[in-house]
Amino acid sequence: MIDFLQIVIYGIVLGSIIALGAIGVSLIFGILRFAHFAHGDLMTLGAYFALAGVAGMSLPMFAAFGLALGATALVAVGIDRALYSRLQQVSPIILLISSVGVALMLRSLIQMIWGPDNEIYQSGISMPWTFAGLRIQPTQVMIVGGAAGLMLLLHLFLQHTRFGKAMRAMSDNPDLARLSGINTQRVVILTWIIAGVLAAAAGIFLGMDTRLHPIMGWKLLLPVFAAAIFGGIGKPYGAVAGALVIGLAQEMSTLILPAAYKPAVAFALMVIILVWRPTGIFGGKVL
Amino acid sequence: MTLLKAEELYGGYGGGDILNGVSLRVDAGEVVVIVGPNGAGKSTAMKALFGLVNVRSGRVTFRDEEITRLSPDRIVGRGVCYVPQEANVFPSLTVLENLEMGAFIRRDDYSAQIERVFELFPPLKEKRSQAAGTLSGGQRQMVAIGRALMLDPKVLLLDEPTAGLSPKFIDLIFERIQEINATGVSILMVEQNARHALSLADRGYVLVLGANRYEDTGPNLLANREVAEMFLGG
Ligand SMILES: Nc1ncnc2c1ncn2[C@@H]1O[C@H](COP(=O)(O)OP(=O)(O)OP(=O)(O)O)[C@@H](O)[C@H]1O
Ligand SMILES: [Mg+2]
């Protein structure tokens, strides 16, 4: 039982990280109608920006993280302005392929700057807290709390602000959004800012949970897409639910399968959903 | 006074021309109705007024200022609002949020306008917190018209506002359109319920193959035998 609960905790931590990525993928698909394959590497970039703050500029942890969120958002908007916004008129397939190119470029750049080795934010071992036999790391609490906080902020933004509602409106019906006088370009930029911030947070949390590595985000891309599809792509709330399911399923699979099969579990779930209910559990768009 | 005017529009969606010289005019206070067979380009003509179609030649003016290639957010800013034929609500947004999106460019307090829409369409007040996608067709059409009224437009473009509705709702929507018109909003609408619509219209156009075939007052079009036989089902 304790073992099982321990695995549930790992699953929730992983699910929180996946959720931050999946929300971004889902929002981008809702607004721009394309699958953003560079999202994993955007997460990696965020993690390394934070490393640059902590290790390079010796900033306090939180300042470095904040800076990394902002810088990643800036890069995301920059890529959109320089590339995606120009290709938008062509076709969603071209956009998708160009995002694969962006993914490769980001990864190479990260490797060039920071090298191919594992990195960590802080050396030293933190003592886990124990509750009734369960071990919980302080970083795990921070990850789940941080992710929940960001999701709450996003929820408040989407439900209660003028541009948040406009974002949902545009995701519903882009033509009608334009007809209503909504400045759709502003909404697009806002979407990239949010997706960039959340991706960076996901990358930083992943780096805290494990280690930093130039392909850390790329490896998370599959579960992130699985979560977004599971929840119904274009539905950010579904993405959160999907992420928890994928995170828990991946961790629980270690009870019966070797840990190396974790990505296969996400992949299998994604295939099952695509075959059984291509619009996801919450009835999103078809990829 | 002429508010909205389209002069000899040619254009389409990038392939061949759908519009072949259509001209339209809406004067202050008028109800103008466009009828014509399926695929005649009625919706396309509406979209062209709103800058959503590639207009190859011809021009659109609002109060004598050219708006031919203006973006929709500029056009709504001048007081021309449009309810498309299909997909004319935000289904996952609540009724109230749909109305708020109609008022997106307004930075003043528009709560009075929301109340006005609720007075016009009382069912919307009850369902204000319900997602628009869950409403009946008639109520969705109310949301769609309500959204377009949020900017207090001078001209309201309606593309088949009664399509697919039950007779009860058809009468109700037509009634409300007349009420809206009575508050000083000029109306240009495309209608399949041609007889009913023309009976309310100050003027009407019969559009065929993207060009004007007939143009007259509502009563005269209804009385015209050729029009009645060919376009109004005898
Ligand atoms: N988005 C589009 N892209 C390409 N062609 C289109 C598009 N919309 C309409 N068309 C074509 O333009 C022509 C005119 O269509 P339009 O919708 O304007 O007709 P309509 O008079 O409104 O017909 P209906 O009574 O069926 O609504 C049709 O041949 C149609 O196939
Ligand atoms: Mg039509």
Side-chain angles (χ1 to χ4, degrees):
Chain A
M1 190 59 199
I2 288 291
D3 278 354
F4 181 77
L5 287 177
Q6 194 69 52
I7 280 174
V8 169
I9 290 172
Y10 293 147
I12 290 172
V13 172
L14 181 61
S16 306
I17 296 170
I18 294 173
L20 293 174
I23 292 170
V25 163
S26 215
L27 285 175
I28 292 167
F29 192 89
I31 300 293
L32 295 155
R33 301 290 192 270
F34 86 105
H36 187 229
F37 268 80
H39 216 70
D41 298 282
L42 207 55
M43 293 181 209
T44 314
L45 187 69
Y48 275 89
F49 276 154
L51 181 72
V54 173
M57 301 187 271
S58 337
L59 292 173
M61 201 78 136
F62 282 100
F65 290 175
L67 214 63
L69 302 191
T72 311
L74 219 60
V75 169
V77 172
I79 294 170
D80 176 65
R81 291 297 98 182
L83 194 65
Y84 300 147
S85 67
R86 290 164 204 257
L87 295 173
Q88 215 182 329
Q89 284 83 1
V90 190
S91 93
I93 293 297
I94 299 292
L95 269 176
L96 185 153
I97 293 169
S98 75
S99 78
V100 175
V102 169
L104 293 170
M105 284 192 279
L106 283 178
R107 201 177 321 157
S108 309
L109 206 67
I110 290 164
Q111 217 168 102
M112 263 166 57
I113 298 173
W114 285 285
D117 299 325
N118 287 331
E119 306 272 356
I120 47 170
Y121 288 125
Q122 254 179 345
S123 49
I125 306 161
S126 65
M127 288 309 282
W129 299 321
T130 48
F131 298 101
L134 284 178
R135 276 169 294 107
I136 299 178
Q137 299 281 349
T139 51
Q140 291 175 326
V141 175
M142 204 179 135
I143 290 168
V144 175
L150 285 170
M151 286 183 233
L152 181 68
L153 282 179
L154 178 69
H155 167 76
L156 294 175
F157 169 76
L158 287 176
Q159 296 302 325
H160 299 293
T161 69
R162 179 164 164 262
F163 267 98
K165 290 173 192 178
M167 213 157 142
R168 283 159 52 220
M170 195 174 158
S171 178
D172 255 14
N173 189 338
D175 292 333
L176 192 62
R178 244 157 55 83
L179 291 180
S180 303
I182 292 172
N183 186 333
T184 50
Q185 277 313 304
R186 286 267 272 301
V187 176
V188 169
I189 291 173
L190 209 60
T191 305
W192 283 108
I193 291 174
I194 293 170
V197 165
L198 297 182
I204 292 168
F205 290 158
L206 188 63
M208 284 166 58
D209 195 37
T210 56
R211 284 176 302 273
L212 285 84
H213 189 267
I215 63 165
M216 61 194 272
W218 172 249
K219 276 162 69 180
L220 204 66
L221 190 66
L222 180 65
V224 160
F225 267 86
I229 290 169
F230 197 96
I233 195 129
K235 304 256 166 186
Y237 296 100
V240 176
L244 285 174
V245 170
I246 299 288
L248 285 168
Q250 284 205 1
E251 294 298 342
M252 283 181 189
S253 73
T254 59
L255 288 171
I256 44 171
L257 291 171
Y261 284 96
K262 275 197 220 173
V265 172
F267 188 67
L269 277 171
M270 184 167 82
V271 170
I272 291 168
I273 281 290
L274 283 175
V275 170
W276 172 62
R277 246 197 105 148
T279 57
I281 300 298
F282 296 92
K285 301 179 174 68
V286 178
L287 201 63
Chain B
M1 185 184 55
T2 297
L3 290 180
L4 188 63
K5 191 167 168 188
E7 294 166 88
E8 302 204 18
L9 302 183
Y10 288 83
Y13 299 95
D17 282 356
I18 307 287
L19 302 177
N20 294 298
V22 61
S23 296
L24 302 163
R25 192 184 91 234
V26 185
D27 292 344
E30 276 190 317
V31 174
V32 178
V33 168
I34 304 174
V35 300
N38 288 111
K42 305 183 296 293
S43 295
T44 307
M46 278 261 187
K47 289 183 208 164
L49 294 174
F50 216 75
L52 299 169
V53 167
N54 300 320
V55 174
R56 192 166 56 72
S57 86
R59 55 187 227 131
V60 182
T61 55
F62 180 68
R63 288 186 160 143
D64 294 328
E65 286 174 48
E66 176 148 8
I67 59 166
T68 316
R69 280 167 195 89
L70 243 46
S71 64
D73 55 320
R74 295 283 180 73
I75 296 177
V76 292
R78 301 205 179 193
V80 182
C81 291
Y82 166 52
V83 180
Q85 183 172 352
E86 278 152 358
N88 53 20
V89 299
F90 299 109
S92 77
L93 268 58
T94 66
V95 168
L96 190 60
E97 287 169 341
N98 266 273
L99 299 182
E100 288 171 0
M101 289 302 103
F104 187 82
I105 64 167
R106 279 181 79 155
R107 304 302 285 134
D108 57 339
D109 177 15
Y110 51 76
S111 49
Q113 192 67 13
I114 288 185
E115 280 311 313
R116 222 168 296 163
V117 170
F118 284 159
E119 270 165 41
L120 204 57
F121 301 117
L124 298 189
K125 187 163 190 170
E126 279 165 48
K127 311 226 159 170
R128 62 204 294 168
S129 307
Q130 205 169 313
T134 64
L135 302 180
S136 72
Q139 290 168 343
R140 261 210 304 271
Q141 201 62 34
M142 295 177 190
V143 175
I145 297 173
R147 180 198 57 76
L149 286 175
M150 286 306 296
L151 295 179
D152 205 359
K154 297 287 166 290
V155 181
L156 183 60
L157 309 181
L158 300 167
D159 196 346
E160 303 206 13
T162 67
L165 301 187
S166 63
K168 188 187 90 190
F169 270 121
I170 293 178
D171 290 348
L172 186 136
I173 294 287
F174 276 135
E175 239 173 68
R176 293 300 180 270
I177 290 171
Q178 283 179 290
E179 278 176 40
I180 294 166
N181 177 244
T183 66
V185 182
S186 305
I187 309 259
L188 175 66
M189 68 174 157
V190 173
E191 254 307 324
Q192 292 287 8
N193 293 304
R195 282 180 183 280
H196 196 153
L198 284 172
S199 72
L200 319 171
D202 294 300
R203 286 185 305 109
Y205 294 90
V206 180
L207 230 67
V208 180
L209 294 173
N212 301 33
R213 178 67 63 87
Y214 297 92
E215 177 185 345
D216 212 329
T217 64
N220 282 356
L221 282 176
L222 282 170
N224 184 320
R225 285 225 351 249
E226 268 176 82
V227 171
E229 265 169 37
M230 287 204 294
F231 305 108
L232 307 178

